[in-house]
Amino acid sequence: MKEEQRISKILETLKKDHPNAKCTLYFKNPLELLVATILSAQCTDQRVNIVTNSLFKKYRSAKDYANASLGQLEKDIKSTGFYKNKAKALKFSAQTILKEFDGKVPNTMGSLLTLRGVARKTANVVLGNAYGITSGIVVDTHVTRVSQRLGLTKNKEAKKIEEDLMRLIPKKDWILFSHLLIAHGRAICTARSPKCGVCHLNKICPSAFKV
């Protein structure tokens, strides 16, 4: 099977197996998604959603985060881990949003990368899921693991993995593709005990039954 055909089969299978794959962070606007994504570093989406359920009622605008004391922000997000750095990221990125972007989360990669605590992964999440802008492919631990096992990349660095995937995956599928790999990584291609026996990709996966 040619690689182009294999990629097409991977996409077809994942779309069929995970028809409801989407961003699992709760948000109603770009600011909420930005905050949730910053908090999701080294933390489960489930935990983040618990924290933001009350956080989003208390902080409703960039101004609210910008004017909050670091101490209070730390208390409000403590259970997400690394809360001191995350509190600084929320406060200082909000200040930049107020000063440079008229209080609105920017919708370009270059502008988002000027915000404290925002790298390509976070920017891709916000652009793709809040604005519907195809800027790249989100690379998290699930995407890294599953794409490596599927033989889509041999790289370990997120930026290089993203570059490999963007060369292989049709641009129209970039936003969805990360959701598909994350859903597959959580349900089937788990870190410790991948369920290769029931995986519908096992016939075209070079790692099937070998991990």
Side-chain angles (χ1 to χ4, degrees):
M1 181 182 291
K2 294 182 179 180
E3 186 63 2
E4 186 176 337
Q5 293 176 310
R6 195 176 78 94
I7 298 298
S8 180
K9 184 64 176 178
I10 288 172
L11 280 167
E12 177 187 343
T13 303
L14 289 175
K15 288 177 181 179
K16 182 178 180 180
D17 288 353
H18 308 287
N20 300 313
K22 62 180 181 179
C23 179
T24 54
L25 292 170
Y26 297 156
F27 70 97
K28 294 180 181 178
N29 55 60
L31 178 63
E32 288 188 352
L33 182 56
L34 174 64
V35 170
T37 307
I38 289 174
L39 295 180
S40 71
Q42 304 297 313
C43 183
T44 66
D45 287 1
Q46 183 180 21
R47 166 54 55 184
V48 172
N49 288 336
I50 291 173
V51 171
T52 57
N53 183 51
S54 57
L55 191 73
F56 291 162
K57 295 174 183 176
K58 184 174 182 179
Y59 303 91
R60 298 179 179 275
S61 67
K63 186 176 181 180
D64 291 337
Y65 290 100
N67 292 338
S69 71
L70 283 174
Q72 186 59 56
L73 268 178
E74 290 172 1
K75 290 180 182 179
D76 292 334
I77 65 172
K78 188 172 184 178
S79 65
T80 65
F82 300 95
Y83 59 93
K84 289 185 179 295
N85 286 336
K86 290 179 181 180
K88 290 177 181 176
L90 294 182
K91 181 177 177 67
F92 298 146
S93 63
Q95 290 176 344
T96 301
I97 289 171
L98 283 177
K99 183 178 179 180
E100 304 293 338
F101 305 108
D102 196 30
K104 298 178 181 178
V105 175
N107 62 358
T108 66
M109 176 63 70
S111 295
L112 282 167
L113 292 179
T114 66
L115 304 179
R116 176 79 171 259
V118 175
R120 277 196 63 89
K121 173 191 169 184
T122 298
N124 277 328
V125 170
V126 173
L127 290 172
N129 297 282
Y131 291 117
I133 296 173
T134 305
S135 57
I137 295 175
V138 174
V139 177
D140 72 349
T141 55
H142 295 293
V143 174
T144 296
R145 180 178 69 256
V146 179
S147 62
Q148 288 172 340
R149 286 178 176 172
L150 284 170
L152 301 178
T153 182
K154 293 181 180 180
N155 284 301
K156 297 181 179 180
E157 183 184 337
K159 182 179 180 181
K160 292 182 178 179
I161 292 173
E162 182 184 6
E163 291 171 352
D164 288 341
L165 295 179
M166 288 192 294
R167 281 193 292 268
L168 294 171
I169 307 302
K171 188 172 182 178
K172 65 182 179 64
D173 290 312
W174 284 2
I175 297 173
L176 176 61
F177 188 65
S178 62
H179 296 318
L180 291 172
L181 288 195
I182 291 169
H184 195 67
R186 286 172 173 163
I188 303 295
C189 197
T190 52
R192 294 185 179 181
S193 302
K195 304 177 180 69
C196 297
V198 298
C199 179
H200 295 150
L201 293 173
N202 59 24
K203 292 182 179 180
I204 56 174
C205 176
S207 302
F209 304 109
K210 298 177 184 179
V211 289

